[in-house]
Amino acid sequence: MIKLPLRHASAFSRCPSLQLRSFHRTVQASKEATIVPPTEVLFSESKGIAETVKKNLSANGFLKATSVQGRVIQEVLSNQENAVVQAKTGTGKTLAFLLVAIKDMLKGKSALHSKKIHSVILSPTRELALQIFEEAKKLTAGTNIKTSFCIGGNSKAMEQRTIRKGFANILIATPGRMNDHLSNPEVRSSIMANSFILDEADRLMDMGFADTIKDIHRDVARPFTRRLCFSATMPPKVSDVFEVILGDKMKIVNCLDPNEPPTHERVPQFVVQTKFDSLFHDSLSLLRDLSKQPSPRIIVFLPTIGMVDFVADLFRSHLSIPCFSLHSRLSTSDRRRITDRFRRAPKGILFATDVVARGMDFPNVSQVVQIFSPSTLDDYIHRIGRTGRAGKDGESYLVVPKQEQPFLRSLSKLPIQNHSVNKLSDEEITDFNRDLSSLPMETRTDIIKPLYSAKSHIFENRSQSGDPTELVLKLFGLEDEPLAKKELMSSVYIKNVIRKSSFKGDRGFRRDSRRPFQRKGQKSFRRF
Ligand SMILES: Nc1ncnc2c1ncn2[C@@H]1O[C@H](COP(=O)(O)OP(=O)(O)OP(=O)(O)O)[C@@H](O)[C@H]1O
């Protein structure tokens, strides 16, 4: 039980970055103290929540606040302070910040008939922005509060009309599209923001959006605007950027018990370590076994857009369960359609990139499977957070080649157990390999190149991994295709990896998400 001194964040130094750095140190340091869980908070008895909103909460089955919601109601809703809020995945952070946005808006009676934008909420992905929009609509039903969204791929003209007509008191947006709109003076003059909220705040800073976020903050925030940053992970490296957003005074609400892992104990975590050329076979065998459970709803994360389509198409005919694939190269309408179909499917497997790794709240996801490791430990935490939400159970499987030991070492503090899959029979392997080899060589070679770039840390230590081109050629059934090897060796991805692998020794696993080819300080526009 840790009585975190964090509740008196103002006791920290006036310098916010020191506050946040102290926050990180304090959370780490306070091992021996005791966490005081919040008292049970019933929405119906909470101050600062409008009666209509209370009715909407009850109508949606939300009677009691979760831990983070209770802390936000008690420590943030009741004042005007900026705040950084950290809580585990799937614990209701969205509702927590929406309650603040609505309360801050209703504090001035004028807001009830206002045509202004009183709350700007930024999300790292279109899917998450739409999900927050749906939750905001439920909460504000029956009030005069209008909610809208601005996301890439949506009609910009229609969004501007919505803003001009005053139908966006709460505006949920992705950073790029929000920044576009802010170049329009009419949009800028429509903003009277009582709150500026960053959901998945560390991701927003990490995706190379930091400068864009600062630009939006400059155009949106007024002296009276409350700034809020929410996430399950707050790596120290974001402290400096937060300083620009949060100003010189902030409340730090940390719901993580530093004596517990940042993941959910009710979600057992397994790792399947395979030989490189058995990665597909073992992944398929695992998914086959998981598909036999009563209501299998599985999300499979893969490292590149090409791998998502390739593996989904290759596995589909070997699995007896609907398979969906989702990534950022699809149109917004296709992304919405696939997201909705998986959300409603009684059973199915969604193969995806990290486009759904954060925030996405698909109901009753039974397992998360990751084929190859994610880029960072935080990404691992967010990905497995797609299951075991709202107190439900789930399972997590990480299927990696033995060359990914450096990443597994970074998971050493998490309760991960080894798992052995039932091996495919020789006949099943022959059947699978026949399908694999029937795919055009160019298609398979094209998939390998970005995979090389995404997983180059595996290959840099050639003494451990062997000849990396041989490994991946064999995985894709191209070991006997000299043209494929020639094509690979001539590609820039491979040249960079081989150049970097000339450095001796195990470069170890990267602690941050900078791509291996990124020069220090280069923006990381991670596409997923
Ligand atoms: N008070 C509540 N009572 C019951 N269920 C709730 C409550 N608040 C939220 N939920 C449900 O919990 C689930 C997770 O909520 P939400 O997506 O906001 O989590 P999160 O903390 O934002 O997760 P992530 O860190 O992954 O973004 C949702 O299905 C939501 O409807």
Side-chain angles (χ1 to χ4, degrees):
M1 304 278 284
I2 293 183
K3 197 185 232 349
L4 287 177
L6 299 180
R7 296 188 179 174
H8 311 296
S10 48
F12 284 131
S13 126
R14 306 281 303 158
C15 164
S17 55
L18 274 184
Q19 276 179 332
L20 279 166
R21 286 195 193 110
S22 308
F23 159 61
H24 290 292
R25 273 201 300 278
T26 307
V27 169
Q28 293 316 314
S30 54
K31 299 283 183 201
E32 68 293 334
T34 52
I35 274 261
V36 177
T39 49
E40 183 169 280
V41 175
L42 299 177
F43 291 121
S44 57
E45 295 167 6
S46 298
K47 290 194 183 68
I49 301 178
E51 287 311 313
T52 311
V53 174
K54 286 181 179 178
K55 285 196 190 91
N56 292 335
L57 285 163
S58 171
N60 284 284
F62 300 150
L63 306 176
K64 193 172 71 165
T66 62
S67 167
V68 63
Q69 292 163 0
R71 290 283 303 277
V72 167
I73 289 170
Q74 291 170 334
E75 302 176 41
V76 179
L77 204 62
S78 53
N79 58 51
Q80 281 308 309
E81 287 185 80
N82 297 338
V84 176
V85 180
Q86 184 177 9
K88 285 187 178 178
T89 54
T91 54
K93 292 187 288 295
T94 309
L95 184 55
F97 64 66
L98 286 174
L99 288 175
V100 180
I102 294 167
K103 183 253 175 187
D104 284 358
M105 183 181 320
L106 293 177
K107 69 173 185 259
K109 285 286 166 272
S110 59
L112 281 173
H113 305 290
S114 163
K115 291 185 178 295
K116 297 288 187 186
I117 297 171
H118 288 287
S119 182
V120 173
I121 301 171
L122 295 184
S123 148
T125 64
R126 302 172 185 179
E127 285 75 12
L128 182 53
L130 289 170
Q131 180 178 288
I132 298 168
F133 166 70
E134 293 301 334
E135 191 145 348
K137 270 198 318 185
K138 285 183 206 163
L139 271 190
T140 57
T143 69
N144 284 305
I145 297 172
K146 279 80 76 186
T147 303
S148 189
F149 61 86
C150 293
I151 59 174
N154 201 31
S155 158
K156 209 165 138 185
M158 187 189 71
E159 292 173 349
Q160 278 179 4
R161 269 198 306 280
T162 301
I163 292 171
R164 263 206 310 274
K165 287 181 179 164
F167 294 141
N169 299 138
I170 294 180
L171 183 63
I172 301 124
T174 46
R177 178 51 65 91
M178 186 71 216
N179 210 32
D180 285 352
H181 279 306
L182 286 169
S183 58
N184 179 329
E186 280 189 282
V187 170
R188 284 205 304 276
S189 62
S190 303
I191 296 176
M192 183 71 73
N194 303 87
S195 56
F196 177 63
I197 299 169
L198 303 184
D199 188 21
E200 307 301 341
D202 57 322
R203 165 64 88 206
L204 286 171
M205 305 303 177
D206 172 43
M207 285 166 62
F209 279 131
D211 292 342
T212 306
I213 302 289
K214 289 178 192 171
D215 292 345
I216 295 170
H217 173 256
R218 188 198 56 234
D219 291 340
V220 165
R222 305 285 185 278
F224 54 82
T225 303
R226 185 199 316 239
R227 291 87 157 169
L228 302 170
C229 292
F230 279 71
S231 181
T233 52
M234 295 286 181
K237 65 181 176 183
V238 296
S239 306
D240 297 337
V241 193
F242 275 11
E243 180 171 347
V244 174
I245 306 289
L246 290 156
D248 62 1
K249 195 169 178 300
M250 76 188 85
K251 169 74 75 179
I252 290 178
V253 178
N254 176 52
C255 301
L256 294 188
D257 177 343
N259 292 320
E260 271 184 20
T263 50
H264 292 289
E265 56 285 345
R266 62 180 178 272
V267 177
Q269 300 168 51
F270 303 100
V271 59
V272 177
Q273 295 190 52
T274 81
K275 284 183 24 242
F276 203 98
D277 57 4
S278 308
L279 190 70
F280 287 157
H281 301 148
D282 291 351
S283 301
L284 176 62
S285 175
L286 172 65
L287 290 174
R288 266 194 183 154
D289 286 349
L290 296 178
S291 301
K292 290 170 188 158
Q293 62 190 314
S295 305
R297 285 174 47 75
I298 304 162
I299 298 180
V300 179
F301 286 103
L302 289 141
T304 66
I305 289 174
M307 282 288 280
V308 167
D309 286 334
F310 181 84
V311 171
D313 293 344
L314 183 61
F315 280 28
R316 187 172 277 118
S317 57
H318 296 269
L319 291 164
S320 56
I321 183 172
C323 292
F324 308 89
S325 55
L326 180 65
H327 51 69
S328 60
R329 204 172 287 157
L330 296 169
S331 68
T332 297
S333 55
D334 282 344
R335 288 164 65 167
R336 288 184 81 168
R337 180 175 50 78
I338 292 163
T339 305
D340 292 345
R341 283 181 60 200
F342 179 66
R343 204 182 283 280
R344 286 196 306 271
K347 62 180 182 176
I349 299 179
L350 175 66
F351 293 86
T353 58
D354 280 338
V355 74
V356 295
R358 280 182 177 244
M360 291 309 288
D361 185 57
F362 294 107
N364 307 314
V365 170
S366 50
Q367 281 88 18
V368 164
V369 175
Q370 302 178 64
I371 300 177
F372 281 113
S373 69
S375 299
T376 67
L377 176 59
D378 285 349
D379 289 348
Y380 174 85
I381 291 167
H382 281 277
R383 283 177 167 190
I384 71 173
R386 295 320 98 207
T387 187
R389 299 174 70 76
K392 294 187 182 120
D393 294 332
E395 287 181 328
S396 155
Y397 292 84
L398 177 64
V399 187
V400 290
K402 297 193 189 319
Q403 287 83 353
E404 295 241 52
Q405 283 305 323
F407 180 79
L408 294 182
R409 282 199 290 275
S410 75
L411 300 181
S412 56
K413 291 193 171 56
L414 295 179
I416 294 185
Q417 310 159 54
N418 280 314
H419 178 82
S420 308
V421 296
N422 300 314
K423 292 296 179 189
L424 294 181
S425 67
D426 292 344
E427 187 190 347
E428 288 168 328
I429 288 178
T430 305
D431 186 29
F432 177 86
N433 289 346
R434 184 186 320 109
D435 280 1
L436 179 60
S437 307
S438 68
L439 296 173
M441 184 194 75
E442 296 72 21
T443 304
R444 287 179 276 165
T445 313
D446 285 347
I447 299 293
I448 292 177
K449 295 175 191 173
L451 175 64
Y452 234 91
S453 162
K455 303 311 298 173
S456 65
H457 57 276
I458 296 182
F459 305 125
E460 275 179 18
N461 183 341
R462 294 162 70 83
S463 59
Q464 248 203 5
S465 68
D467 176 349
T469 45
E470 292 306 329
L471 286 174
V472 281
L473 286 167
K474 199 163 179 212
L475 175 62
F476 284 81
L478 291 168
E479 64 273 26
D480 300 327
E481 297 278 358
L483 276 180
K485 172 131 187 168
K486 186 165 174 288
E487 166 73 12
L488 270 188
M489 296 310 285
S490 65
S491 89
V492 67
Y493 294 98
I494 312 302
K495 283 183 182 148
N496 274 311
V497 173
I498 291 180
R499 176 178 59 76
K500 290 178 81 65
S501 66
S502 58
F503 302 127
K504 291 282 168 274
D506 178 348
R507 301 289 298 280
F509 173 70
R510 270 174 190 66
R511 293 267 167 248
D512 64 27
S513 61
R514 264 201 312 277
R515 282 299 186 78
F517 302 127
Q518 270 177 300
R519 291 178 304 286
K520 206 160 173 54
Q522 178 192 9
K523 281 185 177 173
S524 65
F525 285 95
R526 304 178 48 186
R527 300 300 307 154
F528 45 71

